[in-house]
């Protein structure tokens, strides 16, 4: 089943986010290579693909896991959590409808 993982950043998270980004992306690439990643990306703080020093307010990952517990365990091990980037993370089942 698919799960939506939504991380909400702490204020002024950009420096911590940039420092932890290589490890964060490494895990996402592994998920992609296993064929389980549907999409992933950050929420820019401004209406721009490159928000500059304004940074980001969080992230969205939609991926396939065997269970909600497995998705939660994967989310809990995110380097952004260890680095203090995320203030909170939610994991919810997700049903993809479109595009078909």
């Amino acid at each position: 089943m698919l799960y939506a993982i939504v991380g909400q950043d702490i204020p002024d998270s950009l420096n911590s986010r940039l420092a932890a980004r290589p490890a964060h992306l490494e895990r996402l690439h592994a998920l992609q290579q296993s064929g389980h990643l549907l999409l992933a990306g950050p929420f820019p703080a401004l209406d721009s693909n490159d928000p500059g020093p304004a940074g980001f307010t969080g992230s969205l990952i939609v991926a396939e896991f065997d269970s909600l517990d497995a998705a939660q365990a994967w989310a809990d091990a995110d380097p952004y959590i260890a680095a203090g980037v995320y203030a909170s993370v939610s994991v919810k089942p997700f049903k993809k409808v479109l595009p078909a």
Side-chain angles (χ1 to χ4, degrees):
M1 176 160 200
L2 292 173
Y3 295 88
I5 301 169
V6 179
Q8 297 294 326
D9 283 21
I10 62 167
D12 300 317
S13 63
L14 186 58
N15 288 336
S16 297
R17 179 180 269 273
L18 291 174
R21 188 170 189 261
H24 173 77
L25 288 179
E26 184 177 327
R27 293 180 76 237
L28 288 170
H29 286 298
L31 201 57
Q32 181 180 21
Q33 289 172 348
S34 70
H36 293 106
L37 181 65
L38 184 66
L39 63 89
F43 299 118
L46 304 173
D47 189 12
S48 171
N49 281 329
D50 181 5
F56 300 90
T57 62
S59 303
L60 169 65
I61 299 164
V62 179
E64 183 178 1
F65 293 93
D66 291 335
S67 67
L68 179 58
D69 287 341
Q72 185 69 58
W74 189 90
D76 289 345
D78 194 304
Y80 280 175
I81 291 177
V85 173
Y86 290 151
S88 65
V89 177
S90 69
V91 180
K92 296 180 181 184
F94 179 81
K95 181 179 177 183
K96 180 180 178 245
V97 174
L98 293 171

